[in-house]
Amino acid sequence: MNISDKFYKENIDNLKNTVLTGKTASIEWRIKQINLVSKILDKHKQEIIKCLFIDLGKSEIEALSEILLVKEEISLIIKKLKSWMLPKKVNTPFYLFPSSSKVIYEPLGCVLILGPYNYPLLYILKPLVNIFSAGNTALIKPSEKCPCTSKLIKNLTSKYFQKDILLTIEGDYKESKKLIEQNFDHIFFTGSTETGKFIMKSASKNLTPLTLELSGTNPVIIFKNANLEVAAKRIVWGKFFNSGQSCVAPNHIFVEKEIEKNLIEELQKCIISFYGKNPITSKNLSKLQKEQFSLTLKILKKYKKQKKILFGGLYSRKKMKISPTILQIKLEEKKLYEKELFSSLLPVIGVDNKESALKKINQASKPLAIYIFGGNKKIHDHISKVTSSGTICINDVMLPVLIPNLPFGGVGQSGMGKFHGEEGFRNFSNQKSITYK
């Protein structure tokens, strides 16, 4: 689909003009748009589940999770939006008396959402309801790597929304490139760090502000006092959900050497319990996206040749699946675990102490999340002070992304800007100061 710059300019101007009329400033307008998103999810649930299976082989549970996370966000916004929108009074110095000041939250205008392939519905609609909560209009571009879901999003948004409120554009990376060059009031992107850098460079021509939700090389640190059975269950669930294609999935494990063997045994038990003895045939194991499958298979074969696969290693080209696989590697083999694997490969690295793990974490780019099992409050506080990450989660994984009123986002190479709940409302609002004399 080749769309002209004239088409983009006319439609983006229409979307911006809707905001300039002032009608999007009302809570009624905002709630109405958010309820339309909720209506789409309620009335077209089965179509969504079907498309997510066709595109990514997602199980019904995985598909429903995308729907439910958006519904949770909607529920929070409807409950709290009125209080978020209230002007905030600011004290004025006595020597300027009589005068008063306040801060109001006004819409930015028209926001572009560039969706990822791994959660093609969630990371379109979740930021969208944040954008609507702040009184903005939006143009959305779903991932071309999920054609069924992309077409469904276009059809449904066209049916439920006027095109001067929400417009969906389909196309490949060339259309994304054209869109980034347009004069939007904000861009929200979820995807790789390298693509994020390109978007930031292109957006700089118009000084367009960005929210970038990027790659996460999320380490897990496991101490010897951890409950290994519980830790293994939670890591296996979080790591292999969507076949590891989650920005908050555990990327690799640092574990104290004296419990390394026991941990690996627990991980194996959990993988079998969750996915059976032949995970390739399990309906709970999603397929990998085409390019990601090829990249992961190359890594798998390399480590298979080096005899470093402790468990798993099965794959099917036809089904585009690679079974949950545990790799045992050494601390110095950082080339593997310092990049986001985004797959069903889980490296386990034995360490002598926490300092060894923390040194490697700080030598790499700042992760989206750090996960800790075991230890104590003193250790947890120390890790928080001496590392930098988007979030820290203790005795579980993935939780930060599941909590709608918790600000979510990365730092450094893992992203910029936060969304979810009130932080999403603020992120897509302009804080305007007003002074009366």
Side-chain angles (χ1 to χ4, degrees), residues 47-223:
E47 294 165 73
I48 292 167
I49 291 170
K50 182 180 178 181
C51 276
L52 290 174
F53 177 77
I54 290 169
D55 288 332
L56 293 165
K58 290 199 176 194
S59 66
E60 186 170 342
I61 291 173
E62 289 184 340
L64 283 172
S65 72
E66 294 204 38
I67 295 170
L68 291 173
L69 284 172
V70 181
K71 293 285 283 184
E72 282 284 303
E73 190 76 21
I74 289 171
S75 178
L76 176 70
I77 292 170
I78 290 173
K79 185 178 179 182
K80 297 287 188 179
L81 183 57
K82 186 177 180 179
S83 64
W84 297 344
M85 290 176 65
L86 290 173
K88 304 293 189 290
K89 289 185 178 180
V90 177
N91 291 331
T92 305
F94 73 91
Y95 50 81
L96 296 177
F97 182 83
S99 64
S100 61
S101 303
K102 66 179 180 179
V103 172
I104 64 168
Y105 298 95
E106 68 175 12
L108 291 174
C110 179
V111 182
L112 170 64
I113 304 175
L114 297 171
Y117 76 80
N118 56 330
Y119 291 96
L121 182 88
L122 176 63
Y123 283 111
I124 288 284
L125 297 189
K126 195 165 188 178
L128 179 63
V129 294
N130 284 164
I131 287 162
F132 282 149
S133 77
N136 301 291
T137 55
L139 190 152
I140 57 182
K141 176 11 188 104
S143 173
E144 71 277 9
K145 294 177 180 179
C146 297
C148 185
T149 307
S150 177
K151 178 61 70 177
L152 181 63
I153 289 172
K154 181 174 174 58
N155 290 342
L156 293 178
T157 53
S158 300
K159 178 181 177 181
Y160 284 89
F161 290 93
Q162 297 173 8
K163 64 179 183 178
D164 62 349
I165 293 174
L166 178 63
L167 183 65
T168 299
I169 298 293
E170 289 191 287
D172 60 14
Y173 72 94
K174 292 177 184 177
E175 293 304 330
S176 296
K177 188 177 177 181
K178 277 187 185 179
L179 281 167
I180 297 159
E181 293 170 351
Q182 307 304 312
N183 191 20
F184 286 97
D185 296 294
H186 196 99
I187 296 174
F188 183 98
F189 168 74
T190 306
S192 72
T193 298
E194 288 307 310
T195 305
K197 289 176 181 178
F198 172 79
I199 290 171
M200 192 171 185
K201 184 177 180 181
S202 299
S204 68
K205 295 173 185 177
N206 292 311
L207 293 180
T208 306
L210 303 163
T211 302
L212 301 176
E213 300 296 331
L214 305 177
S215 306
T217 55
N218 313 311
V220 182
I221 305 172
I222 303 182
F223 293 95

Side-chain angles (χ1 to χ4, degrees), residues 236 240 267-285 311-314 321-325:
V236 167
F240 303 115
L267 290 171
Q268 291 175 1
K269 287 179 192 175
C270 289
I271 291 170
I272 293 170
S273 174
F274 286 17
Y275 300 100
K277 292 185 177 179
N278 185 5
I280 299 298
T281 62
S282 173
K283 65 179 183 180
N284 295 322
L285 186 69
F311 185 79
L314 303 175
K321 288 185 176 185
I322 293 177
S323 69
T325 300

Side-chain angles (χ1 to χ4, degrees), residues 274-337:
F274 286 17
Y275 300 100
K277 292 185 177 179
N278 185 5
I280 299 298
T281 62
S282 173
K283 65 179 183 180
N284 295 322
L285 186 69
S286 301
K287 64 183 180 181
L288 291 165
Q289 188 268 337
K290 186 178 178 181
E291 288 84 0
Q292 194 60 38
F293 176 84
S294 298
L295 180 64
T296 305
L297 186 58
K298 186 178 178 181
I299 297 170
L300 179 69
K301 287 182 175 181
K302 175 185 174 182
Y303 282 89
K304 200 169 190 177
K305 191 175 182 181
Q306 295 177 10
K307 297 182 179 179
K308 291 185 178 180
I309 295 177
L310 296 179
F311 185 79
L314 303 175
Y315 64 91
S316 167
R317 291 182 186 275
K318 184 179 179 182
K319 294 185 176 183
M320 303 293 286
K321 288 185 176 185
I322 293 177
S323 69
T325 300
I326 302 171
L327 306 174
Q328 189 173 38
I329 65 172
K330 294 179 180 179
L331 194 62
E332 56 267 24
E333 295 180 74
K334 62 181 182 179
K335 280 188 178 180
L336 177 66
Y337 63 82

